[in-house]
């Protein structure tokens, strides 16, 4: 095999691994530069809510820049190829994502509450409206940069080589691995000496399924904006509205606690998700599977002629 064949495939196109690595390199450089500019202009963004919101948008900007550089220099493709074109930005896609994301977590939580597997515990007085708005401001950019990172350019490149199932599984496993650094995640609990294999395995399997669920939103709508909306709506409904932990985090912003009430587990961890939160339980898993089946029916109804690979 010649050197050129190590870099290029039979169609003289840069191989998948090199395109992915190039994008990761562009992302790292863009991220380091963008965050350092933020720190220079604003200071430590971890000190207050505004700083954290600016940090989230800075990460979005870094990923958008990395996508732009990659599309201009490596692939010569359009934003529409990633589900980020003007056609995919129609309000109906965002609305569909919001409805799917909210209901997919609200319904299993409502059922758990009805079965007394979740209960409401009083919390210090405060403004639930203000808290919801803070979570809104944080989750909108946070969901966007996670979708760009895991279901943007890299997802598209892997899909060309392995099909959408392979791309969804691989990116979702990496998505789960990154979440292991969250409070109550596998890596964090291991470092703290409180590691539990069952809890770790269950949370990571459910985050992987969540990644596949979001990939399905992208595939069946053709819009990354829809996946962004679903991701945001899921997180915001669970924490901003229902005051439950999201991905192991009960306190999203240091010093900003959930006011008025908390939704806490009161049943078996395998169902409630335990310290990871309701999204780590079997009812949430069932809800995501049902949502994916409904999305598949939606796609076949809207685009019956389009094959999905």
């Amino acid at each position: 095999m010649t050197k050129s064949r190590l870099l290029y495939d039979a169609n003289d196109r840069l191989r998948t691994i090199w395109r992915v690595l190039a994008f990761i390199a562009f992302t790292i450089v863009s991220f380091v530069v963008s965050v350092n500019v933020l720190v220079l202009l604003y200071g430590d963004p971890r000190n207050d809510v505004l700083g954290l919101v600016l940090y989230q948008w800075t990460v979005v900007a870094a990923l958008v820049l990395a996508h732009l550089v990659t599309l201009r220099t490596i692939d010569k493709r359009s934003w529409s190829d990633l589900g980020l074109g003007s056609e995919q930005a129609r309000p109906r896609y965002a609305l569909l994502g919001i409805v799917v994301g909210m209901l997919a977590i609200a319904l299993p939580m409502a059922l758990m509450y009805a079965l007394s597997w979740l209960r409401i515990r009083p919390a210090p007085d405060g403004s639930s409206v203000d808290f919801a708005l803070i979570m809104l401001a944080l989750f909108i950019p946070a969901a966007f940069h996670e979708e760009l990172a895991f279901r943007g350019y890299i997802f598209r490149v892997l899909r060309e080589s392995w099909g959408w199932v392979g791309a969804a599984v691989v990116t979702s496993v990496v998505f789960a691995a990154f979440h292991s650094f969250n409070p109550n995640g596998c890596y964090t609990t291991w470092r703290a000496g409180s590691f539990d294999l069952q809890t770790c395995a269950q949370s990571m399997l459910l985050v992987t399924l969540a990644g596949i669920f979001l990939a399905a939103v992208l595939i069946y709508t053709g819009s990354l904006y829809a996946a962004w909306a679903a991701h945001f709506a899921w997180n915001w409904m669970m924490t901003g509205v229902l005051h439950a932990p999201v991905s192991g985090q009960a306190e999203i912003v240091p010093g900003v606690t959930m006011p008025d009430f908390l939704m806490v587990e009161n049943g078996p961890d395998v169902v409630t998700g335990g310290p990871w939160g309701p999204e780590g339980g079997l009812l949430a898993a069932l809800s995501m599977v049902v949502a994916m089946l409904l999305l598949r029916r939606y796609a076949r109804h809207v685009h019956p002629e389009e094959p999905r690979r």
Side-chain angles (χ1 to χ4, degrees):
M1 182 177 288
T2 64
K3 182 177 180 181
S4 62
R5 285 294 153 246
L6 287 172
L7 295 176
Y8 298 94
D9 58 23
N11 297 317
D12 288 331
R13 189 171 192 176
L14 199 63
R15 292 187 179 276
T16 297
I17 182 63
W18 304 121
R19 284 186 281 163
V20 169
L21 290 176
F23 174 76
I24 292 173
F26 291 145
T27 299
I28 291 172
V29 172
S30 179
F31 174 79
V32 170
V33 172
S34 299
V35 170
N36 275 282
V37 170
L38 173 64
V39 172
L40 181 65
L41 296 177
Y42 185 84
D44 189 343
R46 298 170 297 179
N47 289 334
D48 52 55
V49 173
L50 177 59
L52 287 171
V53 172
L54 290 174
Y55 172 78
Q56 299 293 343
W57 281 113
T58 299
V59 179
V60 170
L63 279 159
V64 169
L65 179 58
H67 275 78
L68 180 62
V69 172
T70 306
L71 295 181
R72 292 290 179 86
T73 63
I74 302 294
D75 265 0
K76 310 292 185 182
R77 66 170 75 236
S78 69
W79 290 100
S80 296
D81 291 332
L82 310 183
L84 289 168
S86 57
E87 173 70 18
Q88 294 104 334
R90 289 185 176 183
R92 65 175 181 175
Y93 292 121
L95 181 60
L96 176 62
I98 288 171
V99 170
V100 169
M102 282 189 171
L103 292 181
I105 190 60
L107 292 179
M109 287 184 66
L111 179 57
M112 283 187 275
Y113 180 74
L115 295 172
S116 299
W117 289 338
L118 289 177
R119 64 183 177 87
I120 293 177
R121 190 179 74 190
D125 290 340
S127 172
S128 291
V129 173
D130 288 349
F131 179 75
L133 291 175
I134 290 172
M135 294 300 103
L136 183 80
L138 283 169
F139 284 142
I140 287 176
F144 194 21
H145 70 63
E146 289 193 6
E147 289 310 301
L148 286 170
F150 295 102
R151 281 161 287 276
Y153 175 80
I154 289 178
F155 186 91
R156 180 62 187 178
V157 170
L158 294 179
R159 182 184 176 189
E160 290 174 355
S161 298
W162 301 338
W164 84 266
V165 174
V169 170
V170 171
T171 54
S172 297
V173 168
V174 178
F175 180 63
F178 270 80
H179 281 74
S180 71
F181 294 92
N182 285 9
N184 295 306
C186 296
Y187 178 79
T188 305
T189 54
W190 173 72
R191 286 294 302 272
S194 55
F195 178 81
D196 179 76
L197 180 58
Q198 180 179 341
T199 301
C200 169
Q202 181 175 330
S203 64
M204 292 302 97
L205 283 172
L206 266 293
V207 178
T208 300
L209 179 59
I212 294 172
F213 161 65
L214 292 167
V217 176
L218 167 62
I219 292 298
Y220 291 133
T221 64
S223 171
L224 191 62
Y225 300 110
W228 170 22
H231 194 156
F232 152 74
W234 174 287
N235 288 348
W236 188 68
M237 172 60 70
M238 186 162 49
T239 296
V241 177
L242 299 177
H243 294 197
V246 58
S247 299
Q249 302 176 87
E251 187 176 281
I252 309 300
V253 181
V256 178
T257 57
M258 299 176 191
D260 300 328
F261 70 93
L262 301 174
M263 189 75 75
V264 297
E265 61 169 320
N266 194 46
D269 286 356
V270 69
V271 177
T272 65
W276 191 254
E279 64 183 342
L282 291 184
L283 285 181
L286 177 61
S287 178
M288 285 187 279
V289 171
V290 171
M292 286 188 279
L293 293 174
L294 292 175
L295 283 166
R296 185 182 182 189
R297 292 193 64 180
Y298 161 83
R300 288 182 170 179
H301 173 73
V302 175
H303 304 292
E305 75 292 342
E306 182 177 338
R308 306 230 167 236
R309 175 177 177 271

